[in-house]
């Protein structure tokens, strides 16, 4: 196979790729790793021994459910980070995951999850203590417990069920889910998951969760909709009693620059048009928001919203009829 050759450099790149795979998932079988790396299971065993020699605690288990697993180290692996560097990195990532650095929340959480995989226990208490001194301003994202984010991120990565209490409409109920992705909006963190009790996909605000725990029961991932798109549509539309679709005569990029992602879903319909999906407490409010964009538009759904357009147009014409025209003025 191509991965069996290539000399010292090829071996080094393959071993680093193996380390990356072990950080992505809790357990891999030998044949799975061999297939990903394009080598034989025997070469995988040799590469695992190379990682162990470098200080990475790679465990192997036989039988059903067995395989290779990257364990938590007693010491930081050589050539990674010393204690102070690890602490500084973890605290910085905690700040980024909490939204202190605009646009870095998802990447910071992924990096923090990888670091957590090998962080020695003696450093975890110090990181938690220091993280309490990290605050942020701006951005508007509701703060959440970094430990909860870590628990959910690990559950997503390891494909194990999660449980938590969830506050909704003044009541707290226990939820049992198959976690799929963590999604960050400009305001909140969300968990996109399959709700086992409701037998459907759901999104949950992380700041409304209590007693979050990852369980040992593993699940086989289902075919899932796009996580970010599902959460955005829910935040911008499904949570409201009224939803509407508009065809706007402007490019999607132009309209996205005018509307926050949490307020509407904007889909491209060619270079000069886009579709806007939004929700609101009342139909008139949605019309007002689209009208103030300053572009020509038409109502696609619902039919009753088109009727409201005619009624409001007549009201506006009547309001303007009492105002005498400006001499020499022109209509814009």
């Amino acid at each position: 196979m191509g991965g069996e050759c290539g000399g010292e450099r090829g071996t080094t790149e393959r071993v680093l790729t193996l380390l990356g795979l072990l950080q992505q998932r809790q357990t891999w079988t030998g044949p799975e790793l061999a297939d990903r790396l394009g080598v034989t299971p025997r070469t995988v065993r040799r590469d695992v021994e190379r990682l162990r020699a470098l200080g990475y605690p790679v465990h192997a288990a036989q039988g059903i459910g067995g395989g290779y697993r990257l364990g938590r180290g007693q010491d930081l692996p050589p050539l990674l980070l010393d204690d102070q560097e690890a602490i500084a990195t973890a605290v910085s990532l905690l700040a980024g995951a909490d939204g202190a650095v605009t646009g870095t929340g998802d990447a910071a959480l992924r990096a923090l999850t990888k670091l957590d995989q090998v962080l020695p226990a003696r450093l975890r208490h110090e990181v938690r203590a220091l993280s309490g001194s990290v605050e942020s301003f701006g951005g508007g994202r509701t703060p959440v417990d970094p430990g909860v984010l870590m628990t959910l991120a690990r559950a997503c990565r390891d494909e194990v069920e999660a449980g938590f209490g969830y506050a909704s409409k003044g009541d707290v109920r226990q939820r049992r889910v198959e976690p799929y992705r963590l999604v960050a909006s400009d305001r909140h963190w969300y968990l996109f998951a399959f709700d086992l009790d409701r037998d459907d996909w759901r999104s949950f605000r992380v700041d409304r969760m209590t007693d979050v725990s990852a369980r040992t029961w593993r699940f086989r991932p289902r075919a899932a909709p796009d996580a970010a798109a599902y959460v955005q549509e829910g935040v911008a539309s499904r949570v409201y009693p009224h939803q509407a679709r508009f065809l706007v005569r402007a490019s999607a990029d132009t309209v996205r620059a005018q509307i926050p992602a949490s307020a509407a879903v904007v889909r491209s319909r060619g270079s000069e048009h886009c579709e806007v999906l939004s929700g609101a407490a009342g139909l008139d409010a949605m019309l007002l928001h689209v009208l103030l964009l300053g572009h020509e538009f038409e109502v696609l759904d619902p039919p009753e919203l088109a009727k409201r357009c005619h009624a409001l147009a007549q009201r506006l014409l009547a309001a303007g009829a009492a105002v005498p025209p400006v001499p020499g003025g022109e209509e814009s």
Side-chain angles (χ1 to χ4, degrees):
M1 296 185 184
E4 299 283 6
C5 58
E8 182 178 346
R9 180 178 178 182
T11 299
T12 300
E13 292 176 348
R14 190 179 64 244
V15 170
L16 289 174
T17 301
L18 172 61
L19 178 60
L21 291 172
L22 291 171
Q23 290 177 332
Q24 290 176 16
R25 205 169 81 187
Q26 186 177 34
T27 304
W28 293 84
T29 66
E32 285 177 332
L33 290 172
D35 182 63
R36 286 293 191 97
L37 297 171
V39 297
T40 64
R42 181 181 178 183
T43 299
V44 171
R45 290 194 292 272
R46 289 203 300 263
D47 288 346
V48 166
E49 289 303 322
R50 291 186 176 101
L51 285 177
R52 288 169 176 163
L54 290 171
Y56 291 91
V58 182
H59 305 306
Q62 303 294 326
I64 298 176
Y68 293 103
R69 178 174 59 85
L70 185 63
R72 202 178 302 283
Q74 298 300 315
D75 298 295
L76 285 175
L79 304 178
L80 181 60
L81 295 170
D82 63 28
D83 286 9
Q84 294 305 313
E85 290 171 335
I87 292 170
T89 301
V91 172
S92 298
L93 290 172
L94 284 169
D98 196 31
V101 183
T102 303
T104 62
D106 291 332
L109 185 60
R110 289 196 301 270
L112 185 59
T113 304
K114 289 183 178 180
L115 181 60
D116 174 76
Q117 184 81 5
V118 295
L119 196 65
R122 68 173 186 276
L123 300 184
R124 299 169 69 83
H125 300 294
E126 191 166 353
V127 168
R128 179 168 292 276
L130 286 176
S131 68
S133 66
V134 177
E135 296 185 10
S136 63
F137 65 91
R141 186 176 298 162
T142 303
V144 296
D145 182 354
V148 171
L149 283 179
M150 288 298 303
T151 297
L152 294 173
R154 284 194 296 264
C156 293
R157 180 196 64 198
D158 297 341
E159 298 171 355
V160 295
E161 290 183 12
F164 49 85
Y166 193 69
S168 179
K169 299 179 180 179
D171 190 20
V172 177
R173 296 184 179 180
Q174 293 300 310
R175 310 300 280 265
R176 208 169 44 96
V177 304
E178 294 176 355
Y180 184 68
R181 290 288 188 274
L182 279 167
V183 178
S185 76
D186 54 344
R187 297 180 181 178
H188 305 287
W189 278 99
Y190 295 87
L191 174 68
F192 174 61
F194 190 85
D195 192 316
L196 294 169
D197 295 321
R198 288 156 180 78
D199 196 33
D200 200 2
W201 294 99
R202 292 286 191 273
S203 61
F204 303 92
R205 271 178 49 177
V206 176
D207 59 295
R208 292 181 177 173
M209 295 180 179
T210 57
D211 301 324
V212 179
S213 63
R215 301 176 177 178
T216 57
W217 185 262
R218 299 190 64 184
F219 62 86
R220 185 184 298 274
R222 307 167 187 263
D226 181 88
Y230 182 96
V231 172
Q232 185 194 6
E233 186 171 330
V235 170
S237 176
R238 286 193 300 267
V239 297
Y240 294 99
H242 299 282
Q243 294 84 39
R245 289 190 306 123
F246 304 90
L247 182 66
V248 179
R249 186 173 295 179
S251 70
D253 289 341
T254 298
V255 175
R256 287 192 186 109
Q258 295 178 283
I259 307 177
S262 57
V265 177
V266 181
R267 302 185 179 119
S268 178
R269 291 293 181 264
S271 60
E272 298 181 354
H273 294 80
C274 66
E275 181 180 316
V276 175
L277 174 66
S278 186
L283 296 176
D284 290 356
M286 281 189 287
L287 279 176
L288 178 62
H289 290 157
V290 177
L291 179 65
L292 292 178
L293 294 176
H295 311 297
E296 293 185 13
F297 68 95
E298 62 181 271
V299 175
L300 299 178
D301 274 315
E304 58 266 28
L305 190 56
K307 296 179 180 178
R308 290 298 302 160
C309 285
H310 291 286
L312 290 176
Q314 292 299 320
R315 190 181 302 171
L316 289 172
L317 287 172
V323 180
V326 178
E330 295 182 357
E331 293 185 356
S332 57

